[in-house]
Amino acid sequence: MPRYTRPANSDYAEDPIKALGNMMQATIIGHLRKNPGQTRGEIADALEIPALTVYNGLERLLDAGLIIADPPRHVATRGQRVRYIVDDAQVTEMVMRLEQVLGEF
């Protein structure tokens, strides 16, 4: 399998690109910043997208540490309403890392 060329600082930029480089995930972050504490269903309704799409985006954002679930995934029981908020410090860190790679505008 062919390998692709990666610049020296690519590892530093990889996480922000994965987390913020997806329109759905960026939209969810933006929505939750304006409307903290919403459930998956509330987010799906507000953004007018399928709940499964929101679920997948939320899972990626949780894995990246950019949002916080209340209760946390490992504590939540099936059927329990989970509310989500943005971890502003983590989002800021990711944006700063991306800015460092792109250069300041």
Side-chain angles (χ1 to χ4, degrees):
M1 176 177 243
R3 293 179 46 161
Y4 61 93
T5 304
R6 295 175 59 133
N9 63 351
S10 63
D11 288 339
Y12 189 71
E14 200 75 31
D15 289 339
I17 290 170
K18 284 181 185 176
L20 302 170
N22 175 296
M23 186 61 186
M24 182 55 54
Q25 290 161 214
T27 300
I28 291 171
I29 289 172
H31 177 75
L32 283 174
R33 289 184 93 180
K34 295 175 188 165
N35 305 281
Q38 288 198 329
T39 65
R40 179 177 60 200
E42 291 168 337
I43 296 166
D45 289 345
L47 299 178
E48 298 179 357
I49 54 176
L52 184 57
T53 302
V54 172
Y55 171 79
N56 290 330
L58 290 170
E59 288 297 305
R60 288 187 192 107
L61 292 169
L62 284 166
D63 289 343
L66 298 178
I67 61 172
I68 301 166
D70 181 27
R73 282 192 282 195
H74 66 281
V75 176
T77 59
R78 186 177 178 102
Q80 184 175 11
R81 287 184 181 241
V82 177
R83 300 202 172 272
Y84 299 92
I85 60 169
V86 174
D87 185 333
D88 287 321
Q90 287 295 103
V91 170
T92 299
E93 169 68 22
M94 289 288 190
V95 170
M96 288 174 54
R97 286 171 59 182
L98 199 52
E99 282 179 348
Q100 288 176 353
V101 173
L102 295 175
E104 293 187 35
F105 291 93

